Amino acid sequence: MTNSTAQDIAKAAKVAFEESQLTSSDERIKALHEIKNALELNKAEILRANEEDLVAAKQEVDAGRMSESLLKRLDLNKGDKWDSMLQGVLDLDDELELYRVSCPIGVLLVIFEARPEVVVNIASLAIKSGNAAILKGGKESNRTASLLSKAISAGLAKTALPSTYVQTIQTRAEVSSLLELDQYIDLVIPRGSNSLVRNIQNSTRIPVMGHADGLCSVYLDEHADLEKSVRIAVDSKTDYPSACNSAETLILHDRVVRSIWPSVANALLAANVKLLCDPKSLEALKESTPHSKFQTHVFPSEPSSYTTEHLDLTISVVVVPSLSAAIQWINSHSSHHTDSIVTESQETASAFCRGVDSAGTFVNASTRFADGFRYGFGTEVGISTGRIHARGPVGLEGLVIYKYMLRSKAQSGHVVGEFGTGKKQYKHNKISATTVPF
Amino acid sequence: MTNSTAQDIAKAAKVAFEESQLTSSDERIKALHEIKNALELNKAEILRANEEDLVAAKQEVDAGRMSESLLKRLDLNKGDKWDSMLQGVLDLDDELELYRVSCPIGVLLVIFEARPEVVVNIASLAIKSGNAAILKGGKESNRTASLLSKAISAGLAKTALPSTYVQTIQTRAEVSSLLELDQYIDLVIPRGSNSLVRNIQNSTRIPVMGHADGLCSVYLDEHADLEKSVRIAVDSKTDYPSACNSAETLILHDRVVRSIWPSVANALLAANVKLLCDPKSLEALKESTPHSKFQTHVFPSEPSSYTTEHLDLTISVVVVPSLSAAIQWINSHSSHHTDSIVTESQETASAFCRGVDSAGTFVNASTRFADGFRYGFGTEVGISTGRIHARGPVGLEGLVIYKYMLRSKAQSGHVVGEFGTGKKQYKHNKISATTVPF
């Protein structure tokens, strides 16, 4: 298979996923039933094919080219494999209790640039959540960070926690070495520029929690309110331009280009924002009474404008013909951080929130609200644009995982061999317990 | 910094983490207070150092070597940064509603060997959870799997879901190409041999959920019951030796080597299990009445015996002097999958379950219970030995993540600029809602 074929398959899957987001759950249930039917219908043929696979595998095993254990897993007709495959059956027992207990992840490696307060934020979060931490700040905040670290060490020294519970390192070379040690380090949390995060993601097998880009957008829908459009566009861009949750792109529905857009543009220009416009949005500004800053602050956009995290008073502007075009634009250009719609239509808002595949989908609110403090999570670990473990602003719970504790209170312990067809059956009653009794 | 220094730091962090597992939460709270005190005490000095960092950074900015936005993040004395850093304060508003909504992860790439039923398991789970899936089976089950896939496609064709919702691919080359496409694929789930999983983990930036090794152990504590020891050791090893949750190592407390171990050894030998023994456990078997299979089934172990996933009727045996030595042995040798203790001591059981850093920590129960069906999760995605997202047997919820939806119902929408010191304050009242109202 060529790379382009793989690309086709992966792309098709992504498109199918995005499309399916608007399919009803009834349709999913129907799909499950239809598949079960098709399997039942072809059971004989499938089991015959499985027989052939087994015969071929047996020869491989006899020739020493395949392991016995692999062969065993191949048999689809063994025991109740076929039935349990079809049913996904639920199958604990009296005196056998299963608990799922929250616990820390382990060792965190936190790498940050500039913001020295991260040292204190993360050290506190690590201690609260029970994780050990290794901290590496940027050289630009070295003086501040080393004093903060000293204070943390002084505090720790007065407790029973190990002195190596929170360690600080200084150089980039150290980071490279640490990124190789996946036997000790469980999670890397980079907080800084795109290039920093991207470099880290490319050079470690350790899971990385964070975001490389904060490419957020505001979409002014055909049912947008003028005042809301102005306020939300201006706040999303200008409240703190260097933050990751600032808007970098303004998306305009075709129908608002001549109505709402000129007022929004004027408000942005008044706030000293540079506008990088596509042909339609640029044309509309030329046609309306041009703002005094038109010559100095309005420019034609380039394709790269829409994939650039400006981080300053610059915003890229693009016109789309429909809601679904806006959703597609965002899904293919945004960094899946936070995207906001301005609309008076409940239906449009709902479709936007379901269809846009970002950690935050907002209605009539500034993208700047995407923040752990504002969400009420307390100190923030960072904002994750990943799709597993934690998404969006991450607080304490992002530093926690769980383990399973199983306890037998039976006379002679519990063994699996006693369960199965014609033997003991699993009960799976829910136990109410506020604390783990062991 | 040399690699060995990085190794020292990372190792120290891991040890500190493991030690801290037995530290009380009071001590953590104390640590937080002590750190806060140390910071307050050194506030002037720290802010002075921050000033120096700012001056140095300003020169870098002026010289064009540093960005303005980096400089802005450096200031620790700006606004209420210092105070909010110290407090980790909780900071939504009337008519501003935040919802956290469960949603699928996206596109799953599932790679499996042998077991053909995985095709059906995973297709069903993907459809139930709303994820698109790309499936790749091993060539040894090709005949079976392709018919199963055909049945799935036939079922899907009768529904409104896209036909590319569940795709099947055939060759290893395709997998390599797909593993590069992190812009489309969100999670890789490998189900198969160590080498398969390890290869995948080493060749992709996409998160991988699964386990390379199933190196589970049973520890017979000094307070172990004889009958439980025999039943649990035999079941953990012999019920299904090629499964990942089968025991590969038996750990003996010094005090049971002459009492319980000979009976356990005899029961294992009677079940045709080969014993790879350390000097102490070997010596004890020589001293007791030797089993008829002693010559053919008992051998001295090698260091590699304890890091090998035997997957057949072979078990490695090691003697340790104490509970804490057993915990350390497990944490440094096991694959963090499932480890079981046989003991009558509640206190010892509790220390074992807290101290052993594995997805499953069991008391008086066979390691073979570590399974999604047995835990009552329905169809299993796999067993994760990772520390983020999902741990242990993973069911449907391992294929789900969440997104945040924020909606303003206010007259003129919500902007961040209206909040802050002397302005509006966040309220953070919990909203009770069973469904998202948009």
Side-chain angles (χ1 to χ4, degrees):
Chain A
M1 178 198 238
T2 60
N3 277 338
S4 71
T5 325
Q7 183 110 2
D8 290 345
I9 289 175
K11 214 166 181 169
K14 194 66 161 185
V15 171
F17 167 66
E18 284 169 3
E19 269 177 28
S20 72
Q21 289 307 92
L22 300 169
T23 311
S24 75
S25 64
D26 285 355
E27 209 58 35
R28 288 186 206 288
I29 294 163
K30 191 180 161 203
L32 292 170
H33 283 290
E34 291 295 350
I35 287 169
K36 188 176 173 182
N37 288 342
L39 286 168
E40 287 289 20
L41 217 62
N42 298 290
K43 181 176 176 178
E45 194 189 349
I46 291 167
L47 291 182
R48 218 156 40 230
N50 189 234
E51 264 301 312
E52 292 170 29
D53 279 337
L54 279 168
V55 170
K58 188 73 182 41
Q59 292 170 351
E60 292 298 297
V61 172
D62 291 343
R65 287 190 298 263
M66 188 188 282
S67 74
E68 189 79 37
S69 67
L70 194 74
L71 174 66
K72 277 180 202 149
R73 292 185 196 135
L74 200 54
D75 189 350
L76 203 55
N77 206 19
K78 187 193 166 200
D80 50 8
K81 245 190 181 184
W82 174 269
D83 287 336
S84 68
M85 175 183 87
L86 279 206
Q87 294 168 33
V89 255
L90 296 183
D91 289 3
L92 287 183
D93 190 34
D94 291 331
E95 303 182 298
L96 184 61
E97 298 167 352
L98 177 68
Y99 298 87
R100 178 166 140 164
V101 186
S102 282
C103 61
I105 289 174
V107 175
L108 314 175
L109 172 59
V110 185
I111 301 159
F112 55 96
E113 285 175 331
R115 315 182 187 246
E117 74 271 23
V118 172
V119 176
V120 179
N121 289 348
I122 300 285
S124 307
L125 277 170
I127 292 166
K128 278 185 204 165
S129 58
N131 292 282
I134 301 172
L135 308 173
K136 156 77 175 74
K139 67 174 175 356
E140 63 285 344
S141 60
N142 197 25
R143 298 170 192 84
T144 318
S146 70
L147 283 181
L148 294 173
S149 301
K150 230 169 112 182
I152 292 167
S153 299
L156 270 181
K158 295 189 179 167
T159 74
L161 286 169
S163 63
T164 50
Y165 202 68
V166 178
Q167 300 176 82
T168 312
I169 57 169
Q170 307 290 349
T171 71
R172 284 219 176 198
E174 291 171 318
V175 174
S176 318
S177 304
L178 287 168
L179 289 174
E180 283 167 25
L181 300 175
D182 60 318
Q183 69 270 46
Y184 299 124
I185 297 167
D186 300 298
L187 184 63
V188 182
I189 306 174
R191 298 195 60 175
S193 67
N194 306 356
S195 65
L196 172 83
V197 180
R198 235 178 257 286
N199 279 341
I200 289 169
Q201 286 172 331
N202 283 326
S203 53
T204 187
R205 302 197 318 157
I206 307 170
V208 177
M209 184 162 76
H211 64 285
D213 294 294
L215 263 170
C216 303
S217 63
V218 173
Y219 167 54
L220 307 184
D221 178 53
E222 61 175 318
H223 307 293
D225 171 83
L226 174 62
E227 188 196 353
K228 290 179 187 173
S229 298
V230 170
R231 281 163 45 85
I232 290 162
V234 170
D235 189 84
S236 297
K237 179 69 260 181
T238 68
D239 182 64
Y240 190 1
S242 63
C244 64
N245 58 8
S246 290
E248 306 294 2
T249 306
L250 186 66
I251 304 168
L252 308 171
H253 189 285
D254 226 346
R255 298 231 173 95
V256 305
V257 174
R258 265 157 198 85
S259 54
I260 290 175
W261 166 231
S263 307
V264 171
N266 283 349
L268 288 166
L269 290 170
N272 228 12
V273 176
K274 206 196 277 181
L275 309 176
L276 306 181
C277 301
D278 73 340
K280 276 194 180 173
S281 59
L282 188 61
E283 193 58 34
L285 293 190
K286 281 184 192 155
E287 283 170 11
S288 66
T289 322
H291 192 276
S292 60
K293 289 183 180 154
F294 185 87
Q295 295 299 333
T296 54
H297 285 69
V298 182
F299 303 95
S301 64
E302 290 170 21
S304 66
S305 308
Y306 303 100
T307 51
T308 301
E309 194 178 356
H310 306 298
L311 289 173
D312 58 18
L313 288 174
T314 304
I315 197 163
S316 314
V317 187
V318 64
V319 179
V320 296
S322 64
L323 170 69
S324 66
I327 293 173
Q328 279 174 30
W329 175 277
I330 293 171
N331 284 342
S332 57
H333 288 80
S334 100
S335 65
H336 309 287
H337 186 297
T338 302
D339 296 281
S340 184
I341 185 174
V342 181
T343 188
E344 296 302 298
S345 160
Q346 176 100 6
E347 210 187 325
T348 304
S350 169
F352 180 88
C353 288
R354 288 175 67 190
V356 168
D357 186 24
S358 293
T361 54
F362 290 5
V363 181
N364 295 329
S366 167
T367 56
R368 289 274 299 133
F369 282 106
D371 174 280
F373 279 95
R374 293 185 182 128
Y375 279 8
F377 299 164
T379 307
E380 184 183 277
V381 179
I383 297 186
S384 167
T385 55
R387 311 302 205 80
I388 61 163
H389 188 62
R391 198 177 190 195
V394 181
L396 210 52
E397 73 169 21
L399 299 182
V400 167
I401 185 72
Y402 52 82
K403 67 204 273 190
Y404 290 99
M405 295 189 184
L406 182 77
R407 174 176 66 166
S408 167
K409 290 161 130 179
Q411 186 72 43
S412 43
H414 266 85
V415 295
V416 159
E418 291 175 348
F419 291 79
T421 315
K423 295 192 270 184
K424 283 167 96 172
Q425 298 301 312
Y426 290 94
K427 299 187 170 170
H428 294 139
N429 296 319
K430 202 144 187 173
I431 306 170
S432 38
T434 49
T435 54
V436 182
F438 65 98
Chain B
M1 178 198 239
T2 61
N3 276 337
S4 71
T5 324
Q7 182 111 2
D8 290 344
I9 289 174
K11 212 167 180 169
K14 194 65 162 183
V15 170
F17 168 67
E18 285 167 3
E19 269 177 30
S20 73
Q21 289 307 94
L22 300 169
T23 311
S24 76
S25 64
D26 284 355
E27 207 59 35
R28 288 186 205 290
I29 294 163
K30 190 179 162 205
L32 293 170
H33 282 290
E34 290 294 351
I35 287 170
K36 189 176 171 183
N37 288 342
L39 286 168
E40 287 290 20
L41 216 62
N42 297 290
K43 182 177 176 178
E45 193 188 351
I46 292 166
L47 290 182
R48 216 155 43 229
N50 189 237
E51 265 300 314
E52 292 171 29
D53 279 337
L54 279 167
V55 169
K58 188 73 183 43
Q59 292 170 350
E60 292 298 298
V61 172
D62 291 344
R65 287 190 298 263
M66 189 189 281
S67 75
E68 190 77 37
S69 66
L70 194 74
L71 174 65
K72 278 181 202 148
R73 292 185 196 136
L74 201 53
D75 190 349
L76 202 57
N77 206 19
K78 188 194 165 197
D80 50 7
K81 246 191 180 183
W82 174 268
D83 286 336
S84 68
M85 175 183 89
L86 278 206
Q87 292 168 34
V89 255
L90 295 185
D91 297 1
L92 290 165
D93 190 32
D94 292 331
E95 305 182 295
L96 184 61
E97 298 166 352
L98 178 68
Y99 298 86
R100 179 166 140 164
V101 186
S102 282
C103 61
I105 289 174
V107 175
L108 314 175
L109 172 60
V110 185
I111 301 159
F112 55 96
E113 284 176 330
R115 314 181 190 246
E117 74 271 22
V118 171
V119 176
V120 180
N121 289 347
I122 299 285
S124 308
L125 277 171
I127 292 166
K128 277 185 205 166
S129 58
N131 292 283
I134 301 172
L135 308 173
K136 157 77 176 74
K139 66 175 178 350
E140 62 286 345
S141 59
N142 197 26
R143 298 170 191 80
T144 318
S146 69
L147 284 180
L148 293 173
S149 301
K150 231 169 111 180
I152 291 166
S153 299
L156 269 181
K158 295 188 179 169
T159 73
L161 287 170
S163 64
T164 49
Y165 202 68
V166 178
Q167 299 177 82
T168 313
I169 57 168
Q170 307 290 349
T171 70
R172 285 219 175 198
E174 291 172 316
V175 175
S176 318
S177 304
L178 287 168
L179 289 174
E180 283 167 25
L181 300 175
D182 61 320
Q183 68 270 46
Y184 300 124
I185 297 168
D186 301 298
L187 183 64
V188 183
I189 306 175
R191 299 196 59 176
S193 67
N194 305 355
S195 64
L196 172 82
V197 181
R198 235 177 255 287
N199 279 340
I200 289 168
Q201 286 173 330
N202 282 326
S203 53
T204 186
R205 300 198 319 157
I206 307 169
V208 177
M209 184 162 77
H211 64 284
D213 294 295
L215 264 170
C216 303
S217 62
V218 173
Y219 167 55
L220 307 183
D221 178 53
E222 62 174 317
H223 307 293
D225 171 85
L226 173 63
E227 188 197 352
K228 290 179 187 173
S229 297
V230 169
R231 280 164 45 85
I232 290 162
V234 170
D235 189 83
S236 297
K237 178 70 259 183
T238 68
D239 182 64
Y240 191 1
S242 62
C244 64
N245 58 8
S246 291
E248 306 295 2
T249 306
L250 186 64
I251 304 168
L252 309 171
H253 188 285
D254 225 346
R255 296 231 174 96
V256 303
V257 174
R258 264 157 199 84
S259 55
I260 290 175
W261 166 230
S263 306
V264 171
N266 282 348
L268 287 167
L269 289 170
N272 229 13
V273 176
K274 207 196 276 182
L275 309 176
L276 306 181
C277 301
D278 74 339
K280 275 195 180 172
S281 58
L282 187 62
E283 192 57 35
L285 292 190
K286 280 186 190 154
E287 284 170 11
S288 67
T289 322
H291 192 275
S292 60
K293 289 182 180 157
F294 185 86
Q295 295 299 332
T296 54
H297 285 69
V298 182
F299 302 96
S301 63
E302 290 171 20
S304 66
S305 307
Y306 303 101
T307 51
T308 301
E309 194 178 356
H310 306 298
L311 289 173
D312 58 17
L313 288 173
T314 305
I315 198 163
S316 312
V317 187
V318 64
V319 179
V320 295
S322 63
L323 170 68
S324 67
I327 293 172
Q328 279 176 31
W329 176 277
I330 293 171
N331 285 341
S332 58
H333 289 79
S334 101
S335 65
H336 309 288
H337 186 297
T338 302
D339 296 281
S340 184
I341 185 174
V342 181
T343 188
E344 296 303 296
S345 159
Q346 177 100 7
E347 208 187 327
T348 304
S350 171
F352 180 88
C353 288
R354 290 174 65 188
V356 169
D357 187 23
S358 294
T361 52
F362 290 5
V363 181
N364 295 330
S366 167
T367 56
R368 289 275 297 134
F369 281 105
D371 174 281
F373 280 95
R374 293 184 184 130
Y375 279 8
F377 299 164
T379 307
E380 184 182 277
V381 178
I383 298 186
S384 167
T385 54
R387 311 300 205 81
I388 62 161
H389 189 63
R391 197 177 192 197
V394 181
L396 210 52
E397 75 169 21
L399 300 183
V400 168
I401 185 72
Y402 52 80
K403 68 204 274 189
Y404 290 97
M405 295 187 183
L406 182 78
R407 174 176 65 167
S408 167
K409 291 162 131 178
Q411 187 72 44
S412 42
H414 265 86
V415 296
V416 160
E418 291 175 349
F419 292 79
T421 315
K423 295 192 271 184
K424 284 167 93 173
Q425 297 301 312
Y426 291 94
K427 299 188 169 167
H428 294 138
N429 296 320
K430 201 145 189 172
I431 306 170
S432 38
T434 49
T435 54
V436 182
F438 63 100

